[in-house]
Structure formats: C-alpha cells, structure tokens
Amino acid sequence: MNSKLQHRITQYLTNSMSHADQLLFEADLVSNPELQQEFESFRKVWDLTASIHFHSQESELRWSEFSSSIIDDQRNVYRITNRKYLQFAATILMIAMISYITWFYSTKDTVFIANQQTVSHVLEDQTLVTLNSNSTLTMDYSFNTKHREVRLEGEAAFDVKKNGSPFIIHTSKGDVKVMGTQFKLYTSKYSDLLLIDLYEGQVIYTENGVEYTLNSNDHLMSFNGKITHSNILNTPIDKDYISCKNAPLIYILEQINNTYGYSYDIPKPYLEESYTLVIPKSNIQDCLKVLNQISSLKFKLKDNTLTLE
C-alpha cells in the first residue's frame, strides 16, 4: 500500500478527516475495488486492536490478548501472517500510542505552587495571577479562553481579563465568579476562613447555595459560619510585608505560618479579634514586637509555636 493511501485510511478510521474528505473517501471506497480490499485488511487489524486503549487498567492483559490474536493458530478469526498485515498492526499500534500520550498529557491539570516567595503567572487567557507564599493554584486541564476554571489553596491576587466568558475560582468554602476584575482572595488551609478584597469590577461569591455580590472596594469575610461585608480593603499582596486592615487574628497567624513555618496555639476566642497592621516578613521577632505593641495580648514563640504568655 502506498503511503498516501495508508494515510487516508488512517485518517478515516481515527475520525481526523473533515466531513467533506470523509464523503469523498466513502465515494472512492465504493468505486475503487483495490481501495476496498486494502481498507478491509486495514480495518480487520484495527478491530483487533480495539481492546488496547489507554483507559484500561489492565494494559498487560490487553496486550497479551492482542498478541495471541495475531498468532497463526486455529483460534484466530483473522490470520495475520504476512508482512503487510504486520505493517498495518504496527501502524495502528503507533497511532494508539500517540493517542495515549496525547490523552495523558492533555488531561493533566496544571499546578502552580508558590513556596516561600510570591510567584506570578500569566494564564492562557492573559489573566495575571500572583500567588502568595505557600499557596497553590490548580488550573483545570481543559482551561482555555472559553472555559476558565481554577482552584485555589492559600492566597492570590487576580487581574482577570474580560473576554465574555466567566472566570471561576473554586475553594474549599465556596466559588468566586468574575468576568473581568482585580481582586485578592484568601482561603485557609487550616481553618474555614475566606477573605475577598475587590479593588475593581464585580464578583459573585457563592457559599452553600447563597450568592453574595461584591462591587468595587468591597470586602467580604466568611469565618465560623458568618459572612460579613464591609468597605475596608486589605492591601495587595506584598513580598516583603504582611499587611491587613481590620483582619481577624487567625489571618495574621496563618500568614506568619505561611512565611516562617511557625504554628500557633492561641485560645479560640482571641482568633476573631480584628487588627490593622504591617509586619515584616524578614524577622519573626519584629513580627512579635508589632503584635505585642498593638494588642493587649502578649505573644511569644515557644518550640516553634506562637503562644500567649
């Protein structure tokens, strides 16, 4: 079989032809006996390889079954004993392998991770995402300019490009839906705290089936089963400082944990107290000094854990 004819048959069997080319091929198949014969030979091998697919978790068994089917014995429906049929089999197996590789890599989510530093990424739709330290953004494998969905753990600032399709961020508490806007989103890995600071545009936050609409300069906090709305915005992500306005103590403690790795053991009633502060990310002792200056509490570091005196 010449390579051009083989290529046409392969395209037809893999549905990679245009509709017009399919109709032309089927017309040729009716009028060309040689093409009919070659196509039937090729199709038989194709049918034998149908059990070999990348979704199977029993690939070795499937390969064994296929191998036995091409051995020349009395059990075979089709005996593939000449070089031409084996060439067909090799071609089709190569197609199956390419399909598997394409599927394997195209169905994997893309994961962006920020460890001890802030990291910025421009997504396929030109949305700019700045991840704070110890945060993870997972981009759905089917993400494109028309299907824009991601998942966030930690904190990130978003500058979402408006293109007519919604941009959706899934979190452990709820979902944020935007069209085109600038905002910061924090979702805790350690508690049920979620914060949204909207600098420009509009977002819709959905939690437990209830929608909350935020407009420019709105702030939303979801914590301990309560959702509060205000116009006190926290500042954008800063690589050198932890800064916040009227944020609960638990947010500050989790930021310290993300930055320095220190856990905390603070009585629960104090975690909801609100603070406005700016503390450096460079020195834990300076952090404690600022906390102790603005709070009636006295913090100390003991065995890599923030506690109260």
Side-chain angles (χ1 to χ4, degrees):
M1 182 192 302
N2 64 60
S3 58
K4 183 176 180 180
L5 185 58
Q6 182 175 310
H7 178 66
R8 288 186 70 198
I9 294 175
T10 302
Q11 280 190 313
Y12 184 81
L13 289 173
T14 57
N15 291 319
S16 56
M17 277 182 169
S18 67
H19 181 63
D21 287 340
Q22 285 180 0
L23 295 177
L24 181 61
F25 179 83
E26 290 168 355
D28 290 343
L29 200 60
V30 172
S31 61
N32 188 335
E34 179 186 358
L35 177 60
Q36 291 178 24
Q37 182 180 358
E38 298 291 359
F39 177 76
E40 282 303 311
S41 298
F42 208 100
R43 186 183 60 78
K44 290 174 182 178
V45 180
W46 181 268
D47 291 341
L48 285 173
T49 60
S51 63
I52 302 178
H53 54 85
F54 44 77
H55 293 293
S56 173
Q57 296 181 351
E58 303 172 337
S59 55
E60 292 186 5
L61 176 61
R62 298 303 185 187
W63 172 253
S64 177
E65 291 174 350
F66 172 71
S67 298
S68 64
S69 70
I70 64 173
I71 296 175
D72 186 22
D73 61 32
Q74 295 180 351
R75 292 172 300 172
N76 290 335
V77 177
Y78 306 112
R79 289 178 172 81
I80 305 175
T81 58
N82 61 48
R83 184 176 180 180
K84 179 172 68 174
Y85 288 163
L86 290 177
Q87 181 183 17
F88 291 165
T91 301
I92 294 174
L93 287 174
M94 181 63 71
I95 294 169
M97 183 180 296
I98 293 172
S99 297
Y100 169 77
I101 293 172
T102 302
W103 170 83
F104 181 84
Y105 285 102
S106 65
T107 57
K108 294 297 181 181
D109 295 339
T110 301
V111 181
F112 300 110
I113 299 174
N115 293 317
Q116 298 304 313
Q117 296 181 336
T118 61
V119 178
S120 295
H121 297 281
V122 178
L123 306 186
E124 182 181 336
D125 66 337
Q126 299 305 304
T127 289
L128 174 64
V129 180
T130 301
L131 285 173
N132 207 354
S133 56
N134 283 293
S135 299
T136 302
L137 182 79
T138 303
M139 189 169 69
D140 188 274
Y141 74 89
S142 58
F143 186 100
N144 55 45
T145 55
K146 299 299 182 183
H147 178 79
R148 306 193 293 174
E149 294 193 30
V150 298
R151 184 172 184 86
L152 176 67
E153 292 183 357
E155 185 171 39
F158 294 84
D159 186 353
V160 178
K161 294 300 179 183
K162 188 173 184 179
N163 69 2
S165 298
F167 190 102
I168 300 173
I169 306 165
H170 301 288
T171 76
S172 58
K173 283 185 66 67
D175 298 334
V176 179
K177 179 180 178 181
V178 304
M179 296 301 291
T181 186
Q182 296 180 7
F183 64 100
K184 184 173 72 174
L185 173 62
Y186 177 79
T187 175
S188 174
K189 298 179 181 179
Y190 318 105
S191 67
D192 72 341
L193 175 66
L194 178 140
L195 300 173
I196 301 175
D197 290 295
L198 179 58
Y199 306 113
E200 178 184 296
Q202 185 182 82
V203 307
I204 298 174
Y205 173 65
T206 304
E207 181 176 319
N208 296 325
V210 181
E211 290 188 352
Y212 302 86
T213 301
L214 284 75
N215 296 303
S216 295
N217 300 316
D218 276 357
H219 167 82
L220 180 143
M221 179 175 73
S222 175
F223 185 53
N224 283 348
K226 297 185 297 184
I227 292 182
T228 58
H229 232 129
S230 72
N231 59 1
I232 303 177
L233 291 180
N234 288 297
T235 58
I237 292 173
D238 192 308
K239 64 183 181 66
D240 297 318
Y241 294 93
I242 299 170
S243 58
C244 58
K245 293 182 179 179
N246 203 35
L249 177 61
I250 189 173
Y251 172 77
I252 300 167
L253 296 176
E254 290 180 0
Q255 290 288 336
I256 291 174
N257 176 270
N258 289 335
T259 303
Y260 298 101
Y262 297 126
S263 59
Y264 55 88
D265 183 13
I266 305 295
K268 190 174 180 179
Y270 297 123
L271 297 179
E272 295 188 39
E273 293 185 1
S274 297
Y275 294 90
T276 297
L277 52 75
V278 177
I279 52 179
K281 291 184 176 181
S282 58
N283 189 305
I284 185 61
Q285 295 303 326
D286 289 343
C287 290
L288 293 178
K289 183 178 179 180
V290 172
L291 279 174
N292 289 331
Q293 285 177 343
I294 66 170
S295 171
S296 59
L297 306 174
K298 295 300 178 183
F299 296 88
K300 67 177 181 179
L301 186 61
K302 180 180 180 181
D303 298 329
N304 293 327
T305 301
L306 284 173
T307 62
L308 297 179
E309 293 183 353

